[in-house]
Amino acid sequence: MKVDVLLGLQWGDEGKGKVVDVLTPRYDVVARFQGGPNAGHTLEFDNKKYVLRSIPSGIFQSGQTNIIGNGVVLDPVLFSEEARALEQSGINLKDVLKISRKAHLIMPTHRLLDAALEAAKGKAKIGTTGKGIGPTYTDKVSRNGLRLGDIEHRFEEKYAEARQRHLDRLASLGAMPDPEELATLEAKWKEAIEYISQYDIIDSEHVINRMIDEGKSVLCEGAQGTLLDVDFGSYPFVTSSNTVCAGACTGLGVAPRRIGEVYGIFKAYCTRVGSGPFPTELFDETGKKIRDIGHEYGAVTGRERRCGWIDLVALRYSIMINGVTQLIMMKSDVLDSFETIKACTAYEIDGKVTRDFPFNLDDVEVKPVYTELKGWKTDMTSMRCENEFPSEFKAYLDFLEKELATPITIVSIGPDRTQTIERKDRV
Ligand code: GDP
Ligand code: IMO
Ligand code: MG
């Protein structure tokens, strides 16, 4: 019995796709459990780069079953674009990918609603990816959603009902779409539904549990990050799903007692896209340097990612919520040229120092308390084992492990599959 979960501990884009690809050969199944095409998971190998949005990052290895679980929201149009491109590059996707009947569908009007609701918020906007995520999960929770399995049951009628409800809401927001534009979007959407119907659409909770009973192992791939979780993130500047470990249980139908390792991924620094609090954000040359060296631009929207120092207050909180058993540190190489590196160990709020992640980060001034460490000033990108690590980098790892009370078992030193160093003695 082995169901492991891999998830982001910060505000997303930690490098989940890369590590899922690296770990996939150890598993029989790779499954996405929440989120949708708001995700952009990048993989690099053999001098090629791929960005996956709804499809699990296990598809480039061979022999695994990949599953899109019930907790995911799926846009048929974006899915078909992503899937067709992969088919063209030689992947027999229909043989290796299965999709849950219970996954909810993102409709064209959900995307229009996402844009209209953001516009209505004005300055308070979330800075969503514009993929209709919020409105689709809202329909799910308010019991109005359309699921992939509905294709087989009164689909046209359910679609029309939801569409009308969305149009009424759009009218109330003064954002009625042009009928011709909407018709074009809908024609594409219906064509994409035909395409998606060619896939193996399954009762994924039964399939997964049967496989576990047969002794197969599952890697659950998180999207977004813990600080974007709808319950525990920096609400309301969050996404609309449970990105935390418990989300793997509800998003796949896997019981909590089945969960084994929980891999928590973080960058050696910190980034965020969209609005919302970010205590360690840097607005100076250092922030710009991290963005330039780390190529910190969104994989989905191309937006500049906000950059800052690592935040151990937030990381400790994420580790606690998820029950992280192993840490994975990404993009260590981005700090290769820094003279010194800072790590936030506590927040000072209204003159009081706290090590706990607070309820409110929005309307208060949060002053990070930093520990400064010596930089390693060494190019680590071609290193292949941890014995080669410079002593200052080892000291950074030791410091983080102590502060976070969790072992760092994998260190990533570049975007390629091969630039991944396991620390076997830490497992
Ligand atoms: P995800 O959403 O968590 O899968 O992460 P993204 O793919 O959105 O963002 C991570 C970015 O960092 C991608 O462009 C990766 O190719 C890149 N990347 C991953 N690991 C490393 C690393 O160790 N070093 C560097 N320099 N880049 C990395
Ligand atoms: P991956 O899986 C980083 C952010 C958006 C916005 C907020 C809500 O690649 O790590 P949404 O469209 O979900 O309603 O937007 O969440 N966001 C992400 N930020 N990485 C992601 O995914 C994200 N998915 C959503 O920028 O602030
Ligand atoms: Mg991403």
Side-chain angles (χ1 to χ4, degrees):
M1 183 186 81
K2 191 169 191 273
V3 180
D4 295 343
V5 182
L6 184 147
L7 43 76
L9 299 180
Q10 296 164 322
W11 278 288
D13 302 327
E14 295 90 350
K16 299 173 289 291
K18 169 184 162 162
V19 181
V20 168
D21 171 60
V22 169
L23 295 179
T24 293
R26 300 173 199 181
Y27 294 88
D28 301 301
V29 180
V30 178
R32 275 278 305 268
F33 57 90
Q34 46 68 233
N38 47 349
H41 295 183
T42 315
L43 289 78
E44 283 190 42
F45 54 90
D46 300 340
N47 294 320
K48 283 197 214 81
K49 182 169 161 171
Y50 300 89
V51 179
L52 298 173
R53 299 160 100 179
S54 302
I55 295 171
S57 301
I59 49 149
F60 294 102
Q61 306 283 2
S62 55
Q64 287 77 21
T65 301
N66 287 267
I67 295 179
I68 296 180
N70 57 279
V72 172
V73 290
L74 211 50
D75 183 327
V77 176
L78 295 179
F79 171 83
S80 75
E81 285 171 7
E82 185 179 339
R84 282 174 163 137
L86 289 166
E87 285 185 312
Q88 265 167 18
S89 67
I91 308 235
N92 291 324
L93 204 59
K94 292 192 185 95
D95 295 340
V96 298
L97 180 68
K98 298 175 189 301
I99 314 175
S100 169
R101 274 205 173 82
K102 292 195 168 85
H104 278 246
L105 292 172
I106 302 176
M107 295 167 54
T109 39
H110 281 130
R111 285 184 68 166
L112 297 173
L113 274 170
D114 193 353
L117 290 164
E118 278 284 87
K121 274 184 179 271
K123 270 196 177 148
K125 72 173 185 186
I126 310 291
T128 72
T129 58
K131 303 292 179 234
I133 304 298
T136 307
Y137 277 114
T138 301
D139 273 357
K140 172 177 175 172
V141 174
S142 67
R143 299 161 292 187
N144 286 306
L146 195 61
R147 298 183 292 177
L148 188 54
D150 287 329
I151 295 178
E152 296 149 29
H153 308 279
R154 296 194 297 114
F155 191 56
E156 291 293 330
E157 191 185 325
K158 287 179 186 169
Y159 180 86
E161 274 170 23
R163 175 188 195 270
Q164 191 54 52
R165 217 168 7 83
H166 296 162
L167 289 178
D168 291 347
R169 182 80 173 108
L170 284 165
S172 77
L173 290 162
M176 266 309 260
D178 172 67
E180 265 181 44
E181 274 170 32
L182 180 58
T184 309
L185 292 174
E186 291 186 302
K188 260 178 95 175
W189 194 85
K190 286 184 180 157
E191 189 269 325
I193 285 285
E194 292 298 318
Y195 173 78
I196 216 173
S197 312
Q198 299 166 22
Y199 280 78
D200 205 1
I201 297 173
I202 59 164
D203 294 315
S204 56
E205 62 276 32
H206 289 290
V207 172
I208 282 200
N209 280 291
R210 212 169 292 135
M211 289 178 99
I212 300 167
D213 288 341
E214 286 165 4
K216 303 242 162 78
S217 56
V218 182
L219 179 62
C220 308
E221 173 180 3
Q224 290 79 56
T226 301
L227 303 177
L228 288 170
D229 179 89
V230 66
D231 279 275
F232 297 104
S234 49
Y235 193 87
F237 301 100
V238 294
T239 190
S240 298
S241 63
N242 280 118
T243 61
V244 297
C245 185
C249 297
T250 56
L252 291 170
V254 167
R257 69 179 176 85
R258 305 261 210 186
I259 305 289
E261 295 296 324
V262 181
Y263 298 104
I265 293 210
F266 66 100
K267 286 179 190 171
Y269 48 94
C270 195
T271 64
R272 169 162 211 174
V273 244
S275 333
F278 180 178
T280 60
E281 182 167 12
L282 294 166
F283 300 94
D284 57 5
E285 280 303 306
T286 308
K288 194 175 165 307
K289 186 172 168 187
I290 294 177
R291 183 176 310 115
D292 288 346
I293 301 177
H295 304 292
E296 293 296 355
Y297 297 90
V300 174
T301 55
R303 287 180 293 178
E304 256 188 18
R305 292 180 185 146
R306 300 155 64 191
C307 296
W309 293 119
I310 197 164
D311 181 343
L312 303 178
V313 179
L315 276 180
R316 274 194 295 267
Y317 175 77
S318 296
I319 289 168
M320 173 185 81
I321 297 290
N322 292 300
V324 171
T325 59
Q326 297 187 37
L327 288 167
I328 300 177
M329 184 160 91
M330 309 300 291
K331 302 193 90 159
S332 317
D333 53 299
V334 173
L335 302 182
D336 278 357
S337 61
F338 284 62
E339 212 51 65
T340 55
I341 285 149
K342 287 187 187 175
C344 165
T345 54
Y347 296 156
E348 190 186 315
I349 302 170
D350 293 334
K352 282 202 196 98
V353 173
T354 174
R355 281 168 63 88
D356 291 336
F357 195 69
F359 173 79
N360 186 5
L361 279 172
D362 267 344
D363 314 313
V364 288
E365 202 198 326
V366 181
K367 251 178 74 187
V369 178
Y370 285 116
T371 295
E372 200 163 336
L373 293 105
K374 214 165 158 235
W376 43 94
K377 306 263 285 171
T378 311
D379 178 355
M380 294 204 297
T381 53
S382 49
M383 293 184 178
R384 289 296 173 266
C385 79
E386 63 171 317
N387 297 339
E388 296 177 65
F389 287 159
S391 59
E392 294 84 354
F393 182 66
K394 283 186 188 153
Y396 188 49
L397 290 173
D398 287 347
F399 169 78
L400 294 177
E401 284 191 330
K402 211 160 156 202
E403 282 284 327
L404 301 172
T406 316
I408 301 174
T409 57
I410 298 177
V411 171
S412 176
I413 47 163
D416 194 86
R417 244 184 208 169
T418 56
Q419 293 171 302
T420 315
I421 296 184
E422 290 208 48
R423 304 173 78 216
K424 294 224 159 65
D425 60 313
R426 310 301 298 136
V427 180

